[in-house]
Amino acid sequence: MLLAFVGMYLLVTIAIGLFAAKKVHSSADYVVAGRSLPIYVTIATVFATWFGSETVLGTSSTFLDEGIGGIITDPFGASLCLILVGVLFAGPLYRMKLLTIGDFYRRKYGRTVEVFVALAIMVSYLGWVSAQISALGLVFSVLTNGEISPETGMIVGGGIVLIYTLFGGMWSVALTDFMQMIMIVIGLIIIGFYVGGEAGGAGVVLNHAIDEGKFNNFFPEMNFAAVLAYIAAWVTMGFGSIPQQDVFQRVMSAKDEKTAVRGTVTGGALYFVFAFIPIFLAYSAVVIDPELVSKWQAEDSQMILPYLILEHTPLIVQVMFFGALLSAIMSTASGTLLAPSAMFSENIMRGALPHLSDKQFLLMLRGTVVVFAGFVLFYAMNTELSIFAMVENAYKVTLAGAFVPLFAGVYWKRANTSGATLSIVFGVMTWLFLEFSAPEGTVPPQLAGLAMAIVGMVIGGIFGKQHPEHA
């Protein structure tokens, strides 16, 4: 019965995604939904795209293992990112009427910087999308009690997301996100009340977590290495995920500048609030069934929440939970599958093939979505990283190589091509060197990369020449 309900839900999602494809008549429709989304859909796309597998499974299991200090990156850093995008970047970027975030780097710094940043951003998506595909495989395996292997589940889940993303692009993403946000919000609220009741009330769960010291490590120990690690946890996702195409697409898809700003900030605030419900649900398992928690913490703590729902709730709650979980995963997967594909087509291939018609460009966009989906599936099947680690690692490259040129390009008049080039080279090379030579060193590699990126931008900005078009 549970499988039947889940199957019906997936069919409805595909149907909505394919219906949205009727609105796609140009590349702008495919990439930014014709810049026509109202505020309630903009909020939904921001919220649903970020509320993914790492929020439901990764963050909740990390809290069980490490306490609140282990989840600074997400949801704290993730929410910070969305709010900063709305406050600092949504307005200036929306007024530029760009198709991708890579277009900003081309206009400000030239073709070479555009290509390098586009490549860095595309690489960062590999881990994030793979985390969603891995989670889909896990969910299908749990739902069928192992009859479907995680690998087969990845293929099935990835295929479903690919179908509606391929045909409808951002329109499919937007409309399915809107439906999925409703499912996530309503489902998690009801499940939270039920599971909390089974645990004896929210106060019992909270007091248990306090007694176990789960909230004692929000602030770091007062030593140099711990403080730097704490800062890195905040900025890796808080800053590193700002120069990302999926966030930018939601800004540019809004019907006007005010909608872009308010929709992004509101979506970020809602994300922060609802991200704590899966954490509460997972920790309730410690009170309801300590043996289940001990068993899965020894094997894979990401399985605690799904098995808590399967073993301790009635069918209707199970349907709502797995519906909300699939909504969270698929909404993130579709948006993050489209984003790097759009960047590759617009910022890599369009420059090499400048005479393509819009119809040919649209065909190339769809072809790129299929190819990138193949890379993601291969990576997801061959990595041993957890869902949380895959997402956290995704933003290190953009923190070191893309954030500083974006911020300086918007807010520093002396930002120029020389500064952007030095910033990328200094930042990425420093990060890579430390990532391979001293990944657990006193200075986190991505934080050192960010510092050197700032140095490179300042040197180039002071001593380099302004581009004639930007003087």
Side-chain angles (χ1 to χ4, degrees):
M1 185 65 72
L2 177 59
L3 283 173
F5 277 115
V6 169
M8 289 172 58
Y9 173 74
L10 293 175
L11 290 175
V12 170
T13 301
I14 294 173
I16 292 174
L18 294 178
F19 171 79
K22 294 181 178 180
K23 294 180 174 290
V24 177
H25 305 292
S26 66
S27 58
D29 290 334
Y30 194 79
V31 177
V32 291
R35 298 186 177 93
S36 59
L37 299 184
I39 188 164
Y40 56 90
V41 179
T42 302
I43 292 171
T45 59
V46 171
F47 172 87
T49 296
W50 279 62
F51 203 99
S53 61
E54 71 283 359
T55 313
V56 180
L57 300 177
T59 302
S60 60
S61 62
T62 302
F63 178 81
L64 284 174
D65 294 335
E66 304 176 25
I68 199 167
I71 61 170
I72 296 299
T73 299
D74 189 6
F76 293 96
S79 305
L80 174 67
C81 161
L82 293 174
I83 292 171
L84 288 178
V85 168
V87 173
L88 298 178
F89 297 99
L93 293 178
Y94 189 89
R95 290 192 293 271
M96 295 179 71
K97 300 297 181 184
L98 308 169
L99 192 65
T100 71
I101 187 70
D103 292 346
F104 170 84
Y105 293 93
R106 182 180 68 248
R107 288 196 193 179
K108 183 68 182 178
Y109 303 119
R111 171 68 176 163
T112 302
V113 172
E114 172 197 19
V115 170
F116 277 108
V117 171
L119 289 172
I121 292 174
M122 286 168 54
V123 168
S124 74
Y125 275 100
L126 191 59
W128 194 8
V129 191
S130 296
Q132 314 312 314
I133 301 302
S134 296
L136 285 172
L138 183 151
V139 170
F140 284 121
S141 180
V142 170
L143 283 172
T144 60
N145 199 27
E147 291 296 320
I148 295 178
S149 68
E151 291 75 17
T152 303
M154 290 180 198
I155 296 173
V156 174
I160 292 171
V161 173
L162 175 61
I163 288 172
Y164 69 80
T165 307
L166 175 65
F167 291 101
M170 188 59 194
W171 268 114
S172 290
V173 171
L175 295 189
T176 53
D177 277 0
F178 182 67
M179 179 196 74
Q180 288 158 347
M181 176 183 172
I182 295 173
M183 187 70 180
I184 293 168
V185 170
I186 295 176
L188 287 181
I189 289 175
I190 294 175
I191 296 164
F193 276 108
Y194 183 88
V195 173
E198 289 292 298
V204 172
V205 178
L206 182 61
N207 288 332
H208 192 289
I210 293 173
D211 292 340
E212 292 296 315
K214 294 298 182 180
F215 295 100
N216 292 346
N217 60 343
F218 180 78
F219 295 104
E221 298 177 10
M222 288 298 105
N223 62 71
F224 186 65
V227 170
L228 287 182
Y230 184 74
I231 295 172
W234 274 95
V235 303
T236 296
M237 204 160 181
F239 291 176
S241 52
I242 288 176
Q244 290 285 356
Q245 174 62 15
D246 63 290
V247 180
F248 176 82
Q249 273 181 300
R250 277 126 195 86
V251 170
M252 295 305 297
S253 298
K255 66 178 183 178
D256 54 44
E257 182 181 335
K258 186 181 294 185
T259 299
V261 174
R262 292 179 177 177
T264 307
V265 172
T266 306
L270 283 174
Y271 176 82
F272 181 77
V273 172
F274 279 90
F276 283 95
I277 296 182
I279 296 172
F280 169 78
L281 293 176
Y283 198 82
S284 296
V286 177
V287 179
I288 296 171
D289 192 345
E291 291 184 5
L292 179 144
V293 174
S294 298
K295 172 189 173 182
W296 286 111
Q297 274 191 313
E299 298 180 35
D300 182 358
S301 55
Q302 295 174 144
M303 306 293 281
I304 292 172
L305 183 51
Y307 275 101
L308 170 71
I309 299 299
L310 282 175
E311 296 179 10
H312 293 276
T313 64
L315 177 62
I316 184 62
V317 175
Q318 294 175 22
V319 170
M320 298 192 75
F321 172 79
F322 284 101
L325 177 57
L326 286 171
S327 294
I329 297 170
M330 295 198 317
S331 61
T332 302
S334 59
T336 51
L337 182 61
L338 177 62
S341 304
M343 288 203 70
F344 178 80
S345 301
E346 168 70 7
N347 302 115
I348 305 295
M349 296 306 297
R350 190 188 277 276
L353 302 169
H355 301 297
L356 284 179
S357 66
D358 192 67
K359 185 177 181 180
Q360 291 171 324
F361 181 66
L362 182 57
L363 181 63
M364 183 172 65
L365 274 167
R366 286 178 165 140
T368 305
V369 170
V370 175
V371 173
F372 191 76
F375 278 114
V376 165
L377 186 61
F378 177 81
Y379 181 80
M381 287 183 169
N382 290 278
T383 184
E384 296 182 358
L385 293 174
S386 69
I387 291 170
F388 191 84
M390 278 193 278
V391 173
E392 186 177 23
N393 289 339
Y395 300 110
K396 293 179 180 179
V397 61
T398 45
L399 177 67
F403 173 71
V404 173
L406 175 64
F407 184 87
V410 174
Y411 287 104
W412 193 35
K413 291 182 178 180
R414 294 198 63 87
N416 56 34
T417 302
S418 299
T421 304
L422 288 176
S423 178
I424 295 168
V425 172
F426 285 13
V428 173
M429 295 303 292
T430 301
W431 166 64
L432 286 175
F433 175 76
L434 292 178
E435 194 71 49
F436 286 102
S437 64
E440 303 298 329
T442 301
V443 181
Q446 70 271 29
L447 192 60
L450 174 64
M452 291 306 297
I454 295 171
V455 171
M457 177 57 74
V458 171
I459 292 173
I462 293 174
F463 298 104
K465 292 182 178 181
Q466 283 284 81
H467 191 286
E469 294 180 6
H470 306 137

